[in-house]
Amino acid sequence: MPIISLRNVSKNFGDFQALQEVSLDVALGERVVVCGPSGSGKSTLIRCINRLEAHDSGEIVIDGITLSDKPAKLDRIRCTVGMVFQQFNLFPHLSVMENLCLGPRRVLGLSAQDARARAMKHLERVRIPDQADKLPRQLSGGQQQRVAIARSLCMEPRILLFDEPTSALDPEMISEVLDVMTELADTGMTMIVVTHEMGFARRVADRMVFMDNGEIVEVGAPKDVFTAPKSERFGTFLKKILSH
Amino acid sequence: MKADPVKRSLVLALLVLLLSGCSGNWGWYVVNPTTPSGWTNLKFMASGAYYTLGMSITAILMSVVVGLLVAIPGLSQRRSWRLFNRTYVEIVRSVPVLVLILWVYYGLPALSGITLTVFWAGVLALALSDSAFQAEIFRAGIQSINRGQYEAAQSISLNYRDTMRYVILPQAIRRILPALGNQLVYMLKMSSLVSVIGMQELTRKANELVVSEYRPLEIYTILVLEYLVLILIVSAGVRWLERRLNARDT
Ligand SMILES: Nc1ncnc2c1ncn2[C@@H]1O[C@H](COP(=O)(O)OP(=O)(O)OP(=O)(O)O)[C@@H](O)[C@H]1O
Ligand SMILES: [Mg+2]
């Protein structure tokens, strides 16, 4: 049974259809990379999955729970699904350690000691245990994004969503974040990653999803789509992106 | 560093006053600290500071709480809650403070049967009046926080209360602290109006002394200086707090 299942999901912003009848199944432990031109609905898709946006029609089932407006269900889903943002969205007034401990303490009810231990474990995982007492703004972009990944991991989610996690980074910091994500993938985390880093996609993705105009145009294994994309639109898109 | 020009002009103002006291028009003896009667008068005047400060600080604390409680519905998606916010702010801020003081002290007991002491009537009126402005300050402060902060809080399942308490308000308060400082200064000045219902604060004390000594020029000059000193101290305190809160962030 898929851990994420979307059936004919649509989402409108006013008259504009950001998602049009999108269907997608993601199996436990699967790594899916989503790409597509700007405005194609990639962010909207993953934001619907953890309910930062409410979809208008269709059905989204996560880990057996159908997304609806019931708050209790939402809490359970948000604990199951973690999210990493393009702009990191760390809490600027809190230290790295406090950023990591807030969720475990307030939501999961961990003691201060347990929360700290868990935070340290994940900071080591993203390789910045020595920055625990710094404020986000004292860190480089790459370090901030790794803190954001650790913050998500501290909630021990089963699924991690990434929305262009390296797009706001200077080029020399991209690889340190991608390395951490690759290691995460190796541990068997279910991941949906919106990114234009095709090297990462080739290495890590089980499946590529190509979106355009709010629709999923093509889905396939990286080795297939990179050599021979079925749709013309995907082909043009890949050519443009790989020529950079 | 920053206080230097302030201090200098303060000293200058005092000098001018003292020098002009040498001419025949001034009678500084009423407040001359070296004579027993002048010292008694000065102490009498300064004793009002207790109530001026007490009322202002109590009122500002109340108005911050009420302001926050009024600001939050103003941020709601629901129209009716926003309407409550707008109605409260528009009505309360259009009533003159003096009118509100008279209404609370003389009107409220007739309406509700509860009699308030002068102090609490003053505090209530000041707090009520200020709360409308606090509500606007808080609303603007909270709205200035990036959407991404709410989304990050949601993505780790924080509920609304915790999101406000641990994520949004601590950031908003840092941003609105200068505005809150302004409101406290404003409050200290507004508290002089409570003298009309008999509160023995700075202004009332000065008025009473003027009646008995008949030296309005000197006594009101001292009153001006009293407010000046009080407000300079408060401003310095607020700046200190700002620096302390921002110290971690730099
Ligand atoms: N809150 C919103 N209100 C109105 N329109 C929106 C909103 N969010 C997204 N849209 C529109 O929906 C469309 C899809 O947006 P989305 O952010 O999902 O695209 P994207 O594929 O992530 O693009 P990008 O690569 O630029 O991030 C865009 O045209 C965008 O303008
Ligand atoms: Mg996007």
Side-chain angles (χ1 to χ4, degrees), chain A residues 42-44 86 163-164 194:
Chain A
K42 308 179 296 291
S43 298
T44 308
Q86 183 175 352
D163 193 357
E164 306 204 28
V194 176

Side-chain angles (χ1 to χ4, degrees), chain A residues 29-34 160 162 175 177-193 195 197-208 220-223 226:
Chain A
E30 196 176 13
R31 275 83 48 151
V32 175
V33 166
V34 180
L160 261 187
F162 295 81
S175 65
V177 171
L178 292 181
D179 287 350
V180 164
M181 289 167 62
T182 307
E183 277 174 30
L184 262 179
D186 291 341
T187 64
M189 175 74 77
T190 308
M191 292 162 65
I192 300 183
V193 183
T195 186
E197 294 293 332
M198 288 304 138
F200 172 81
R202 214 188 289 258
R203 271 199 321 271
V204 173
D206 299 310
R207 268 193 303 163
M208 297 279 297
K223 63 175 186 341
F226 279 122

Side-chain angles (χ1 to χ4, degrees), chain A:
Chain A
M1 199 182 82
I3 190 161
I4 303 172
S5 167
L6 285 80
R7 285 280 153 274
N8 306 325
V9 173
S10 294
K11 169 73 188 170
N12 302 321
F13 293 110
D15 291 338
F16 181 79
Q17 257 205 307
L19 290 182
Q20 306 186 36
E21 305 267 320
V22 169
S23 296
L24 178 71
D25 284 334
V26 178
L28 188 65
E30 196 176 13
R31 275 83 48 151
V32 175
V33 166
V34 180
C35 63
S38 181
S40 56
K42 308 179 296 291
S43 298
T44 308
L45 176 76
I46 62 172
R47 289 163 62 85
C48 281
I49 292 175
N50 79 336
R51 201 69 173 179
L52 286 177
E53 306 281 2
H55 57 287
D56 296 317
S57 63
E59 190 184 52
I60 302 180
V61 182
I62 311 246
D63 204 9
I65 303 168
T66 306
L67 287 199
S68 64
D69 285 319
K70 298 222 178 65
K73 284 188 173 179
L74 270 184
D75 284 351
R76 270 180 57 197
I77 282 156
R78 292 228 176 90
C79 286
T80 314
V81 184
M83 175 115 167
V84 175
F85 302 88
Q86 183 175 352
Q87 302 294 339
F88 328 140
N89 294 346
L90 292 173
F91 306 130
H93 59 298
L94 300 179
S95 72
V96 166
M97 182 52 83
E98 290 165 333
N99 264 278
L100 267 55
C101 287
L102 187 56
R105 294 222 52 195
R106 299 300 306 173
V107 180
L108 307 178
L110 262 59
S111 71
Q113 211 182 353
D114 291 349
R116 281 187 73 88
R118 183 183 282 196
M120 266 334 270
K121 183 176 91 188
H122 291 299
L123 275 181
E124 270 158 25
R125 215 163 151 188
V126 300
R127 295 197 285 260
I128 34 175
D130 46 335
Q131 311 287 355
D133 296 318
K134 291 212 178 138
L135 286 167
R137 78 188 58 175
Q138 295 168 314
L139 306 181
S140 73
Q143 290 173 325
Q144 289 189 46
Q145 191 59 296
R146 284 185 283 150
V147 171
I149 293 172
R151 179 176 65 184
S152 294
L153 290 175
C154 280
M155 301 303 288
E156 310 219 311
R158 305 186 63 192
I159 301 161
L160 261 187
L161 308 174
F162 295 81
D163 193 357
E164 306 204 28
T166 57
S167 295
L169 296 178
D170 293 335
E172 75 270 18
M173 293 169 184
I174 291 178
S175 65
E176 66 188 50
V177 171
L178 292 181
D179 287 350
V180 164
M181 289 167 62
T182 307
E183 277 174 30
L184 262 179
D186 291 341
T187 64
M189 175 74 77
T190 308
M191 292 162 65
I192 300 183
V193 183
V194 176
T195 186
H196 292 158
E197 294 293 332
M198 288 304 138
F200 172 81
R202 214 188 289 258
R203 271 199 321 271
V204 173
D206 299 310
R207 268 193 303 163
M208 297 279 297
V209 170
F210 174 68
M211 292 186 70
D212 196 12
N213 291 327
E215 290 173 313
I216 292 184
V217 177
E218 188 169 337
V219 180
K223 63 175 186 341
D224 299 333
V225 296
F226 279 122
T227 46
K230 278 187 271 186
S231 64
E232 199 180 323
R233 274 190 284 178
F234 194 11
T236 334
F237 175 79
L238 278 176
K239 225 175 270 157
K240 231 187 277 173
I241 238 193
L242 293 171
S243 67
H244 276 308

